[in-house]
Amino acid sequence: MSALHPPIRPEYERPLEPFEEQPVERALSLRQRLWQRGGLRKMLILIVLALLWEGIARWQNNELLLPTFSATAAALAEDLRSGELLVKMAISLSVLLKGYLLGIAAAFLITTLAVSTQTGRDFLSTLTAMFNPLPAIALLPLSLLWFGLGQVSLVFVLVHSVLWPLALNTYAGFLGVPDTLRMAGRNYGLKGFRYVFQILIPAALPSILSGLKIGWAFAWRTLIAAELVFGASSGKGGLGWYIFQNRNELFTDKVFAGLAMVIIVGLLVENLIFHSIERITVRRWGVQR
Amino acid sequence: MSASAALRIQSPAAWPVREKERTAAEAASLAALLSIRGLTLEYRTPERVVRATHRVSIDVFRGDRFVLLGPSGCGKSTLLKAVAGFIEPTEGAIHLEGRPARGPGPDRVVVFQEFDQLPPWKTVTENVVFPLLASRTLKRREAEERAAHYIDKVGLSQFAKVYPHELSGGMKQRVAIARALAMQPRILLMDEPFAALDALTRRKMQEELLALWEDVGFTLLFVTHSIEEALLVGNRIALLSPHPGRIRAEINSHAWDLGSLGCAGFQTASARIHALLFEQEHTGTVQ
């Protein structure tokens, strides 16, 4: 038996006036709003890092090993102004784009096979298990042997760096589409390609986008590394070649400028292109934070 | 064969005496809109084949709010999915307006329990327009007009341009209902549409669904595990027993609405259904 006896209290009802004491919503202060901007916070980190670099380089005082931040910035500015870096970048990016697009096409082909047939599924899982741990750059010697010193070799390696992570992510994305959504789509008579393009792809877009991002990062790294290995074909080299050449001539500030350019291009693509795509799609739809 | 024979029994030709007085329209309204005959459904798990329903036969007439009621495991959702065309019957047949219903189609639109039935990449309006375009029912302009009409009917006009993730659970279900109604399906299928909502919202949605039925006029096949919801929403209730699902009884519930919640008759009906559904567990005997 319970020994607890809460007291019996009188009941009451009260009329509620409209709430006017203060507004229900309040704006955040300017500082809070500024601090919420991720770009601003990251910029702050970059400034701190640059200052640190400058400090260490001045203290080291060895231009050949570690040029200062300001010297690197000057070299970067100069080669940007002369157009040399831009030309190198354009060469690198044009090769990259070919490999990237081919890789995407191949990834969608394989994923489509994997979604529709058991054999395709086995094919995808076996090949990704094999090639995902293999750095694409390790295929470069073979690629050079097969395709010779030229763009084709680079593109072959790039396709490998994009294909497997993208296929894996896209496939996982398709598997993750909720059953209810699939049934809803079929309910309206969607079949085949219309079903894939109007239900599966948009529903799997967060995974596909992350696959595209990973693929892009892999491809960019692989390309620079490949250019460092065999450099130019018919006198036209990309960013990797620029770094390699300047190291040979001991222009360390230019080596740093080249590295900075590699980073800047990576950041620009990540922050401008992918971020914008995410903002107008998956973030807007509330399927990704 | 057996299905068509059963259909003939339902058709007015079986009563030749009164046939002459009937107009064609009346005759049509007498034939069942949806007729399920001897439907056995099975689904496969990695280890075994499970019989979900066993030789279920029901008739749903135009304007019915037909409820499938039963405890979990009675195959009521499987039955609804079979009517929707997502599951192939092992045995038996499903006829809609006398024609066999095969495969999913826009003439039988489903409102699911889960909120992710709404594509998150489409706004409320786009969500309602989408099936109209996907099924090539209407051109874009007409589809948008019709969508606006039904969004207004469920009271979401203010939220027409909003994405689903910004809506509450009840509002998402309203969008799903508007989307289904906009298709003007032969029959509207609802699979525990309010089960994931909180109790207050659920009550409000039941009320709104009945108001919509009065206003728009549609045929409804509604799955629930709540006796109270069955009595409120339905005009006729089929009780299913579990493992495998078989029809235990069909009960009329057209007399009850939200006003009769506390009344004695409602309580009696509720107790009767409870007894029918659970007598085996209580007495331990087999029928």
Side-chain angles (χ1 to χ4, degrees), chain A residues 146-221:
Chain A
W146 287 347
F147 304 109
L149 290 170
Q151 249 189 29
V152 185
S153 294
L154 287 181
V155 170
F156 175 78
V157 174
L158 286 180
V159 166
H160 265 279
S161 67
V162 178
L163 172 58
W164 307 114
L166 180 57
L168 204 62
N169 266 280
T170 308
Y171 181 62
F174 282 171
L175 287 190
V177 178
D179 264 342
T180 323
L181 200 52
R182 289 165 188 268
M183 284 196 277
R186 286 169 58 207
N187 201 178
Y188 312 138
L190 289 178
K191 276 188 198 120
F193 274 108
R194 292 176 71 222
Y195 175 69
V196 172
F197 279 100
Q198 296 194 33
I199 299 286
L200 289 187
I201 290 184
L205 202 62
S207 304
I208 296 175
L209 274 179
S210 91
L212 284 173
K213 269 158 83 174
I214 297 172
W216 151 259
F218 278 13
W220 186 229
R221 273 184 237 177

Side-chain angles (χ1 to χ4, degrees), chain A residues 48-204:
Chain A
V48 170
L49 284 179
L51 287 175
L52 214 64
W53 174 5
E54 184 74 26
I56 293 174
R58 275 170 195 258
W59 173 67
Q60 268 259 323
N61 199 17
N62 186 340
E63 209 170 81
L64 213 56
L65 288 184
L66 183 64
T68 59
F69 172 72
S70 45
T72 304
L76 185 67
E78 193 202 313
D79 277 353
L80 277 178
R81 217 175 310 120
S82 74
E84 191 187 353
L85 259 178
L86 290 181
V87 170
K88 302 284 184 201
M89 188 181 79
I91 292 170
S92 285
L93 281 180
S94 80
V95 178
L96 181 83
L97 217 59
K98 281 177 201 158
Y100 195 55
L101 292 180
L102 268 176
I104 291 174
F108 274 91
L109 200 74
I110 290 189
T111 319
T112 312
L113 272 179
V115 173
S116 45
T117 66
Q118 178 70 47
T119 321
R121 229 175 340 268
D122 297 341
F123 182 72
L124 176 71
S125 63
T126 315
L127 284 196
T128 41
M130 271 165 56
F131 284 112
N132 232 2
L134 185 73
I137 191 74
L139 292 172
L140 187 63
L142 204 62
S143 175
L144 290 175
L145 199 62
W146 287 347
F147 304 109
L149 290 170
Q151 249 189 29
V152 185
S153 294
L154 287 181
V155 170
F156 175 78
V157 174
L158 286 180
V159 166
H160 265 279
S161 67
V162 178
L163 172 58
W164 307 114
L166 180 57
L168 204 62
N169 266 280
T170 308
Y171 181 62
F174 282 171
L175 287 190
V177 178
D179 264 342
T180 323
L181 200 52
R182 289 165 188 268
M183 284 196 277
R186 286 169 58 207
N187 201 178
Y188 312 138
L190 289 178
K191 276 188 198 120
F193 274 108
R194 292 176 71 222
Y195 175 69
V196 172
F197 279 100
Q198 296 194 33
I199 299 286
L200 289 187
I201 290 184

Side-chain angles (χ1 to χ4, degrees), chain B residues 48-240:
Chain B
R48 65 202 73 183
V49 174
V50 180
R51 181 155 289 207
T53 69
H54 180 73
R55 294 195 184 143
V56 167
S57 299
I58 53 173
D59 284 308
V60 178
F61 287 77
R62 192 162 280 118
D64 259 345
R65 302 183 310 271
F66 199 102
V67 175
L68 298 171
L69 172 67
S72 56
C74 73
K76 54 192 188 302
S77 279
T78 314
L79 189 58
L80 193 90
K81 291 201 175 91
V83 174
F86 298 122
I87 298 172
E88 278 290 308
T90 310
E91 186 185 28
I94 302 166
H95 283 82
L96 186 71
E97 293 186 317
R99 284 185 295 274
R102 210 163 276 137
D107 53 348
R108 290 150 285 142
V109 176
V110 191
V111 175
F112 297 94
Q113 180 192 142
E114 294 85 2
F115 298 144
D116 55 17
Q117 63 185 302
L118 302 177
W121 60 90
K122 291 182 183 295
T123 62
V124 168
T125 302
E126 287 164 357
N127 250 296
V128 181
V129 166
F130 174 49
L132 291 165
L133 297 180
S135 64
R136 305 205 167 104
T137 310
L138 291 179
K139 294 261 182 294
R140 178 162 282 279
R141 171 98 60 83
E142 289 111 320
E144 271 166 9
E145 276 167 22
R146 197 192 275 186
H149 174 76
Y150 282 98
I151 290 170
D152 182 49
K153 282 252 182 280
V154 297
L156 287 179
S157 293
Q158 275 184 298
F159 298 91
K161 291 197 172 71
V162 160
Y163 285 91
H165 74 101
E166 296 161 282
L167 299 174
S168 70
M171 287 154 103
K172 283 181 198 167
Q173 291 311 79
R174 282 197 198 106
V175 177
I177 293 171
R179 182 175 75 171
L181 288 178
M183 288 297 290
Q184 302 181 342
R186 300 263 171 257
I187 185 165
L188 176 59
L189 310 172
M190 296 182 114
D191 187 3
E192 306 198 33
F194 309 141
L197 301 176
D198 64 90
L200 292 175
T201 312
R202 188 181 312 140
R203 176 57 34 86
K204 194 154 185 320
M205 295 293 291
Q206 290 161 349
E207 200 178 319
E208 286 180 17
L209 180 66
L210 289 176
L212 274 173
W213 180 83
E214 292 276 353
D215 182 11
V216 182
F218 48 84
T219 310
L220 177 64
L221 184 62
F222 190 101
V223 163
T224 182
H225 58 250
S226 155
I227 295 175
E228 188 193 70
E229 185 169 68
L231 285 168
L232 285 180
V233 168
N235 69 331
R236 193 166 172 85
I237 306 172
L239 306 183
L240 282 111

Side-chain angles (χ1 to χ4, degrees), chain A residues 39-55 69 267:
Chain A
L40 215 64
R41 292 199 306 265
K42 285 176 192 163
M43 196 61 87
L44 212 63
I45 293 176
L46 282 182
I47 291 172
V48 170
L49 284 179
L51 287 175
L52 214 64
W53 174 5
E54 184 74 26
F69 172 72
L267 283 179

